[in-house]
Amino acid sequence: QPQLVESGGGLVQPGGSLRLSCVASGFAFDSYAIGWFRQAPGKEREGVSYISFNGGITNYADSVKDRFAISRDNAEYTVYLQMDNLKPEDTAAYYCAAAPPVFYSGGWYFASRYDYWGKGTQVTVSS
C-alpha cells in the first residue's frame, strides 16, 4: 500500500530552521519524483519544491528560493526539505507527494502530477 509519512514540523521563531522528512513505502520510490506542497488556513495548496527521481533536477517556488533546499536519499526511502530563515508566511501544513515516471506537460507545481500524498506536518513560524 503506497504511503508517505511526513515529520519534522513544529513551532519555530522567525529566522529559525526546520528540516522536514518524508518517508515512503509501498511503491518504487526511486522511480518517482517528489514534491513538497503547503497549505495555510483559508489559502490554496501551493507547490514549494520538487526533486526528480535521482535528484538531478530540483525546483523551488520563488517565495522560498535561497532559503529552502530539497534533497533525497533513495537508499533510505526519504526526501528532505531543509528550511532556513523561516518567515511567518511560511506557516502552513506541509505535504509531500510522489509523481510517477510518466510524461507530464504541466509544471512541477501542479497537484495533478502526483499520485500519492502524505497526511502532512504542521510548521508554525511565530514570535
Side-chain angles (χ1 to χ4, degrees):
Q1 184 170 330
Q3 189 172 7
L4 296 167
V5 179
E6 304 94 336
S7 63
L11 175 64
V12 64
Q13 295 186 164
S17 297
L18 288 171
R19 188 178 74 157
L20 306 184
S21 298
C22 171
V23 179
S25 61
F27 66 99
F29 175 74
D30 61 1
S31 296
Y32 279 65
I34 301 294
W36 283 98
F37 291 76
R38 67 187 182 187
Q39 188 168 23
K43 302 293 184 181
E44 295 297 313
R45 184 169 297 189
E46 63 174 341
V48 176
S49 189
Y50 167 95
I51 189 166
S52 62
F53 74 100
N54 63 356
I57 300 171
T58 58
N59 295 103
Y60 300 91
D62 287 344
S63 59
V64 307
K65 285 181 179 177
D66 302 318
R67 298 190 299 118
F68 291 10
I70 192 169
S71 61
R72 68 190 296 163
D73 185 345
N74 284 352
E76 297 296 328
Y77 308 100
T78 303
V79 169
Y80 302 97
L81 185 67
Q82 178 67 42
M83 306 186 296
D84 295 327
N85 192 24
L86 284 160
K87 302 176 179 180
E89 54 262 43
D90 296 318
T91 295
Y94 283 71
Y95 303 85
C96 63
V102 298
F103 176 77
Y104 190 82
S105 61
W108 63 268
Y109 47 83
F110 285 109
S112 60
R113 189 185 188 108
Y114 300 88
D115 285 354
Y116 311 131
W117 292 78
K119 291 182 170 60
T121 185
Q122 179 66 37
V123 172
T124 302
V125 185
S126 176
S127 299

